[in-house]
Amino acid sequence: IFFSMLLLFQNTYYHPAVIAWSRDPERGTATSIVISILEALFVFLPYFWRPLFPKTALRDSNRNRAAGRNTDPSNIDFYTKNTIVVKAFYNFAKHYMGFFINYVQFLGRVEPMGAGH
């Protein structure tokens, strides 16, 4: 649920019409404050409120694997390598594709579609 919500935010956050509406100076003070708070929560503090949602962890799967509950012993090498690859991709995706692109959009450095073509 948590990551789906982050993806929904990013889908709408990068849409030119949504950005134009959210940064429109004539939308009212109360709406402006609410949108600014939501933007800050999703751009800068998404993992601050992560504990509010259920969590699954790869380390829990590793514990079960070591106990022989969910992996055939012949597949342990494959499972261990796969876990390392998934963790590496996840860290790259979280920090670069998630945070960096949000920061760029927050600073207004994303060109409108077609401007660079």
Side-chain angles (χ1 to χ4, degrees), residues 5 8 15 18-19 21-22 25 30-31 34-35 38 42-45 54 62-63 67 75 84-85 88 92 97 116:
M5 190 172 51
L8 176 65
H15 194 280
V18 172
I19 286 297
W21 175 81
S22 70
T31 306
V34 169
I35 289 174
L38 285 175
F42 275 95
V43 171
F44 297 106
L45 302 170
N62 277 331
R63 284 188 200 120
N75 295 331
I84 291 169
V85 169
F92 171 77
M97 296 189 317

Side-chain angles (χ1 to χ4, degrees), residues 2-3 6 41-42 44-51 90 94-95 99:
F2 175 76
F3 293 106
L6 283 180
L41 283 174
F42 275 95
F44 297 106
L45 302 170
Y47 290 93
F48 181 74
W49 41 280
R50 171 70 173 108
Y90 175 77
K94 180 171 74 171
H95 291 286
F99 296 149

Side-chain angles (χ1 to χ4, degrees), residues 22-66:
S22 70
R23 297 189 175 160
D24 182 15
E26 298 185 17
R27 72 183 156 179
T29 305
T31 306
S32 178
I33 291 171
V34 169
I35 289 174
S36 296
I37 290 171
L38 285 175
E39 185 178 25
L41 283 174
F42 275 95
V43 171
F44 297 106
L45 302 170
Y47 290 93
F48 181 74
W49 41 280
R50 171 70 173 108
L52 299 175
F53 297 89
K55 183 177 175 184
T56 58
L58 290 174
R59 71 179 157 270
D60 293 339
S61 295
N62 277 331
R63 284 188 200 120
N64 288 337
R65 178 186 54 84

